[in-house]
Structures are given as C-alpha cells and as structure tokens.
Amino acid sequence: MNHSRWKLARERAIAQGGTDAPEVEAMRTEIRMAFDLGQAVHDRRTELGVSQSELVRRASRTQPQVSKLELGGTVPTLPLLARLANALDASLNIAVDGDTSSVVFTAHAA
C-alpha cells in the first residue's frame, strides 16, 4: 500500500468513528512537538537573515544536526536548546499543555 492510500484508509477509518492506538497518538504528539521546535528555529534564523551555515558556526553544531533539527527529525537536549537560543540571540520559551505545545524565540533586548 503506498503512502497516499494509507492516508486515505486512515481518514476513512477515523470518519467511521475509529481512533488510533494510544501509542500512535503519543508518537504523533512527539513528532508534532519536534516539528514545532524545528519550525521555530527556522523562523528565528530566517528572521535574523542568518544562513544555516552561520547558525552551525554560532551553535558549534554540524550542518546535518541543524538541518535535522529544523526539519523536526530530532528532539534536542536542554543544553542544546540553550545553545541554540544563544546562537539566535534570543530567549526560548516552550509551553507544553497535554498534547499541545508552543515554541517561541523572543529576541534579546538591544
């Protein structure tokens, strides 16, 4: 079954009152949170006009690490989050409430 057929089958099952297993929902929540963080890093980086290469240099990471993070493919440690916030000249605020989260980089005062 290809990817598009799987999506349609899932949508049909949900429309008929079916739900995903709790493990699947938990995994989706984790993926969503990782993606939200990656999007926030990307948005702040582009807001600053900083290339991914420059962020790599500022955060002392590798290009694949930063790319994977921005794409939501990894969950960073707290020390890495602090390093990224510093590299992006910002404070990082993460709010988690149940299955929802918000990630905001706030610029340091000039």
Side-chain angles (χ1 to χ4, degrees), residues 97-108:
D97 183 17
D99 291 346
T100 63
S101 67
S102 66
V103 181
V104 179
F105 282 98
T106 306
H108 287 153

Side-chain angles (χ1 to χ4, degrees), residues 15-85:
Q16 294 171 352
T19 59
D20 288 327
E23 313 82 51
V24 173
E25 283 302 319
M27 182 64 76
R28 277 205 183 92
T29 299
E30 289 178 23
I31 291 168
R32 193 175 317 110
M33 288 178 180
F35 179 79
D36 289 347
L37 175 68
Q39 187 66 53
V41 170
H42 176 268
D43 291 348
R44 176 65 181 158
R45 179 177 63 75
T46 55
E47 178 183 306
L48 292 172
V50 172
S51 68
Q52 205 174 66
S53 297
E54 177 61 14
L55 180 57
V56 163
R57 186 192 66 72
R58 289 181 182 190
S60 299
R61 299 283 88 186
T62 66
Q63 195 282 327
Q65 288 171 321
V66 171
S67 177
K68 189 173 181 178
L69 176 84
E70 284 191 358
L71 292 171
T74 187
V75 178
T77 62
L78 289 175
L80 177 55
L81 291 173
R83 184 180 289 182
L84 284 169

